[in-house]
Amino acid sequence: MEHPPDADVLGEFLISARSLDEYRAIFALTDTELRDRRILDCPGGAASFTAEASELGAYVTAADPIYARPSAELRALALAETDRASAWTRAHRDGYLWDWYGSPDRHHAMRAAAAAGFGTDITTNTHRYIAASLPSLPFADNSFDLVLSSHLLFSYADRLDAEFHVAALLELSRVASGETRLYPLVDNLGRPQDELLNRIRKQLRDKGIETSLRATEYEFHHGATSLLVLHAPGGR
C-alpha cells in the first residue's frame, strides 16, 4: 500500500511488540482470566503476550498473517518494527501520555524485550502462532473463552472501512464463547472515532451482538481509556 511522504501517515501496518504487563493494563485482565483459559490474540503481531501468558497457565493462540513468514525473518522483523514504532512515537510524542511507560526510552526498552521474547517463542512453540487474516479465521465457533484484539481496528480507520470493522468483529465474536475486547477506539494519531464506533455498535446490535464500553486504566494516546466489549449471544 503506497502512501505519500507525510509525517502524519504511519505507512504500512505496524507490527507491534507488546508485553504481558501491557496486555494486563490495556485489557484489564485479571489473574483468573490468565489461568486455564483459551485466549485468542488477533492480530498477535510481535507481542510476547502469547509466551508469557502461556507460562501462567493460559492456552493462548495468536493469529496474524505475518506468521506465514519464516521464524528467523520474523525475529528480525520484530526488532526492526520496534525501532520503527519508537521513531513514530518519538516524532509524535505530544500525542501520547507517557506516565505508564515513564519515558520514550523505557517504552522502547519494554517493546524491544517483548520483541525478543516473541522471537524466541515463535521459534520454539510454532503451534501457538497461526497465519490468518481478519475477517476470516480458521477456528471453529466458540473456540476461545476470551478474544483480545488491539491496534488494528479503529487504529487504521484511514484504510479499513466500516464494513471491514463489522465483518472482523463478527468473526472475532463467532470464535469467542465469552467476551471479545477491543482497544483502542482512536486512530493512530489519537483521533477519536466516535462516529465509526456508534455506527459499528448499531450494526452489531442489529445482528444480535450486544456491546458495551469498559474503562481501562491504561492510557497512551490521550483520552484512549475505553475498551469495546462484545458479549457472546445468549451468554454462550
Side-chain angles (χ1 to χ4, degrees):
M1 183 178 297
E2 296 293 331
H3 292 280
D6 184 333
D8 286 339
V9 172
L10 182 55
E12 296 300 322
F13 291 94
L14 186 64
I15 301 168
S16 297
R18 293 182 174 84
S19 66
L20 171 62
D21 286 343
E22 288 173 279
Y23 272 64
R24 280 183 182 273
I26 289 169
F27 292 110
L29 293 171
T30 66
D31 289 343
T32 299
E33 290 171 331
L34 292 170
R35 286 195 297 269
D36 298 321
R37 296 290 182 90
R38 302 167 301 161
I39 301 175
L40 174 65
D41 182 19
C42 180
S48 61
F49 170 76
T50 295
E52 293 183 271
S54 294
E55 291 179 358
L56 296 179
Y59 303 97
V60 186
T61 299
D64 198 300
I66 66 167
Y67 302 151
R69 303 185 187 190
S71 297
E73 180 181 334
L74 286 171
R75 289 199 303 271
L77 180 63
L79 294 172
E81 285 289 272
T82 296
D83 289 341
R84 184 164 76 97
S86 180
W88 169 266
T89 54
R90 288 174 189 272
H92 299 81
R93 63 180 299 157
D94 290 344
Y96 295 95
L97 184 67
W98 296 93
D99 294 4
W100 196 89
Y101 294 99
S103 69
D105 286 344
R106 186 167 182 272
H107 171 264
H108 181 263
M110 290 181 68
R111 295 291 175 86
F118 161 80
T120 298
D121 197 57
I122 199 169
T123 301
T124 57
N125 294 289
T126 56
H127 63 284
R128 296 173 177 166
Y129 300 88
I130 306 299
S133 302
L134 288 170
S136 180
L137 299 175
F139 307 118
D141 294 358
N142 309 327
S143 292
F144 303 97
D145 301 306
L146 176 64
V147 172
L148 308 175
S149 184
S150 71
H151 298 88
L152 174 66
L153 302 177
F154 296 101
S155 293
Y156 294 95
D158 61 334
R159 62 201 80 174
L160 301 175
D161 62 18
E163 287 69 27
F164 180 90
H165 279 70
V166 171
L169 288 170
L170 286 172
E171 182 70 349
L172 292 173
S173 182
R174 178 186 69 79
V175 303
S177 63
E179 291 183 349
T180 297
R181 299 179 191 174
L182 181 77
Y183 180 90
L185 307 181
V186 301
D187 70 9
N188 57 49
L189 289 175
R191 295 174 297 203
Q193 299 296 305
D194 294 346
E195 182 178 348
L196 176 61
L197 174 63
N198 292 336
R199 178 178 174 185
I200 289 168
R201 293 184 70 186
K202 180 182 185 304
Q203 291 189 45
L204 291 173
R205 184 169 62 252
D206 291 345
K207 294 180 181 297
I209 307 293
E210 293 300 321
T211 65
S212 64
L213 298 179
R214 184 176 300 167
T216 172
E217 294 182 359
Y218 178 89
E219 183 181 4
F220 193 29
H221 277 300
H222 291 284
T225 57
S226 296
L227 302 172
L228 176 64
V229 181
L230 279 61
H231 304 279
R236 69 167 188 254

